[in-house]
Amino acid sequence: MEIQDVINNKEDRQFVMQAVQEKGKFLEFASHILQDDKEVVIEALKQDGEALEFASDRLKDDKEILLLGVTKAPWTVCYASDRLRLDKEIILESCRNYGQALYYASEQLRDDKEVVKAAIQNKGIIIKYASLRVRQDKELALIAVKQNKQAYHFLSDELKQDEDIKSLL
């Protein structure tokens, strides 16, 4: 199947369903109505989590859709609605495999030790997006610096003087 085939049949639900089962990103060429069809989007995401980019804004605010997308392609959390950027389950799932997801988390979740820990275990330097309060946590600082020595630059002044942390440099 080719892109032009999908474009020519973008209103045909059955055709688009078959197309996204073959290649999830064909969702890009479906009609807006089908990009807002939950079943079609689920099929696209089952094939390729990156297809989340082409789902409607309404479906980017659907927790089931977002979880499916970030489970397959954790970086797609960037497409989450503002409401779902507050959802700990979604952000935590994404952070476990893609530390940069912390960047897209709400301020509240950037202040959540469990979420930040998941993110920095994956990518230590991402501690720079954690709240100031969390950046003062020695346990998290040690994890971050062990994972990436550059994380040291984003720690509190007090922790920068800590002997345990300095010994990791």
Side-chain angles (χ1 to χ4, degrees):
M1 188 173 303
E2 301 294 324
I3 291 172
Q4 195 58 51
D5 297 327
V6 181
I7 292 170
N8 292 341
N9 294 284
K10 68 182 183 180
E11 305 286 342
D12 182 333
R13 187 177 191 277
Q14 186 176 347
F15 186 90
V16 170
M17 186 70 90
Q18 183 180 357
V20 299
Q21 287 170 338
E22 181 181 312
K23 184 176 179 182
K25 289 184 190 167
F26 278 153
L27 184 61
E28 177 180 6
F29 307 104
S31 69
H32 293 299
I33 291 168
L34 294 178
Q35 290 173 338
D36 190 50
D37 183 313
K38 189 169 182 174
E39 285 181 63
V40 172
V41 171
I42 286 173
E43 287 304 315
L45 293 174
K46 284 180 183 176
Q47 202 286 318
D48 186 342
E50 293 183 7
L52 183 59
E53 176 181 358
F54 308 112
S56 68
D57 287 344
R58 181 184 73 86
L59 291 178
K60 289 176 184 169
D61 189 46
D62 181 303
K63 185 171 180 173
E64 178 187 1
I65 295 290
L66 252 292
L67 275 174
L68 183 57
V70 301
T71 299
K72 299 277 238 164
W75 69 267
T76 59
V77 72
C78 68
Y79 299 118
S81 66
D82 289 342
R83 182 181 71 86
L84 292 180
R85 289 178 186 209
L86 290 162
D87 189 292
K88 184 173 179 176
E89 183 181 5
I90 288 172
I91 298 298
L92 194 53
E93 176 64 32
S94 187
C95 282
R96 284 187 181 117
N97 298 303
Y98 180 71
Q100 294 94 313
L102 187 62
Y103 176 82
Y104 300 102
S106 66
E107 283 187 39
Q108 295 93 315
L109 292 177
R110 289 179 185 205
D111 192 53
D112 183 293
K113 185 173 178 174
E114 182 183 10
V115 171
V116 173
K117 187 175 183 178
I120 64 173
Q121 284 174 324
N122 179 268
K123 188 169 184 83
I125 199 163
I126 212 70
I127 199 166
K128 67 184 175 182
Y129 295 115
S131 70
L132 292 175
R133 183 188 70 81
V134 173
R135 281 193 260 163
Q136 296 173 9
D137 184 294
K138 183 174 177 177
E139 176 193 357
L140 294 180
L142 287 167
I143 292 168
V145 174
K146 281 180 188 172
Q147 205 286 325
N148 184 327
K149 290 183 185 1
Q150 295 299 314
Y152 172 82
H153 300 293
F154 302 100
L155 303 180
S156 69
D157 289 339
E158 182 182 318
L159 285 176
K160 285 179 180 176
Q161 302 310 313
D162 185 278
E163 291 304 319
D164 294 331
I165 290 172
K166 286 170 46 174
S167 73
L168 296 174
L169 301 176

